[in-house]
Amino acid sequence: MSKKIMLILSLVTATLLLVSCGKKDAEETSSKLVGPLSEVMDSLYENAELSQDFRDSLADYDSGEIPSESAEYLIGTTDVAYDESFYSMPLMNVVPYQCILLRLPEGTDMETAKQTLVDHADPRKWVCVEAESVIVENVGDVVLFVMADSQTANALQTAFLALGE
């Protein structure tokens, strides 16, 4: 009788473990950022641990939807399709910085798209200055593509990933 009870308890425990693991995976893949990407960018800047100098310089940054004629320059390729875009970068390129959000179409192979962005990133595109870091992350269907100094890039990456939690 005790062997049956042990077997039943083992099966129940294994089932609970499998169900809870499956539930966690489903929750992770269903993380989604809602709202216009301009609002996601605002939230990103609001929540990131950025230097005061960086925050002060944001007033002189340009931002908006990526014009089709600038897409290849900004993201480095035309091989990544997106439904929505939003960029933020200095008006004067003496600072090697850009932050781009892309909402990719449903069914896009996210890992391939992110790798394409990494492969085509040009942290020296500003000619006289170079970004220290290139970071490409996603939460759901939204991709963060940032080129900046390491401290700023890491702060934005952390804040972006936190938006999906």
Side-chain angles (χ1 to χ4, degrees), residues 15 22 29-30 32 51 53 55 68 70 76 78 80 95-96 101 103 105-106 121 127 133 141 154-155 161:
T15 302
T29 58
S30 69
K32 194 169 184 178
S51 71
D53 286 343
R55 289 188 183 286
S68 59
S70 301
T78 56
V80 176
V95 177
L101 296 172
R103 188 177 310 273
E106 187 175 327
V127 182
S133 292
D141 62 348
N154 291 335
L161 293 174

Side-chain angles (χ1 to χ4, degrees), residues 10-163:
S10 296
L11 288 173
V12 169
T13 302
T15 302
L16 289 174
L17 286 172
L18 289 173
V19 169
S20 62
C21 288
K23 184 176 181 183
K24 182 178 180 185
D25 290 343
E27 288 171 2
E28 287 175 6
T29 58
S30 69
S31 291
K32 194 169 184 178
L33 301 179
V34 295
L37 292 181
S38 60
E39 291 177 8
V40 174
M41 185 74 76
D42 289 343
S43 183
L44 183 60
Y45 282 146
E46 182 180 315
N47 294 310
E49 292 184 24
L50 300 166
S51 71
Q52 190 58 49
D53 286 343
F54 182 88
R55 289 188 183 286
D56 292 343
S57 70
L58 284 172
D60 297 323
Y61 280 22
D62 188 24
S63 62
E65 186 173 332
I66 296 175
S68 59
E69 65 274 5
S70 301
E72 188 169 7
Y73 173 73
L74 291 175
I75 65 173
T77 182
T78 56
D79 294 338
V80 176
Y82 53 89
D83 290 336
E84 184 184 359
S85 64
F86 196 82
Y87 72 91
S88 175
M89 56 192 276
L91 287 169
M92 300 295 286
N93 286 332
V94 294
V95 177
Y97 173 81
Q98 72 174 31
C99 185
I100 295 174
L101 296 172
L102 302 171
R103 188 177 310 273
L104 305 187
E106 187 175 327
T108 298
D109 181 339
M110 196 61 65
E111 294 307 312
T112 298
K114 289 177 5 183
Q115 189 61 52
T116 300
L117 290 171
V118 168
D119 291 346
H120 290 89
D122 182 6
R124 298 196 70 182
K125 72 180 182 178
W126 297 281
V127 182
C128 295
V129 292
E130 180 177 354
E132 293 175 345
S133 292
V134 174
I135 292 179
V136 179
E137 289 285 358
N138 76 290
V139 172
D141 62 348
V142 176
V143 172
L144 168 73
F145 174 36
V146 63
M147 292 194 288
D149 64 86
S150 296
Q151 182 180 358
T152 301
N154 291 335
L156 291 168
Q157 176 184 28
T158 299
F160 178 73
L161 293 174
L163 293 175

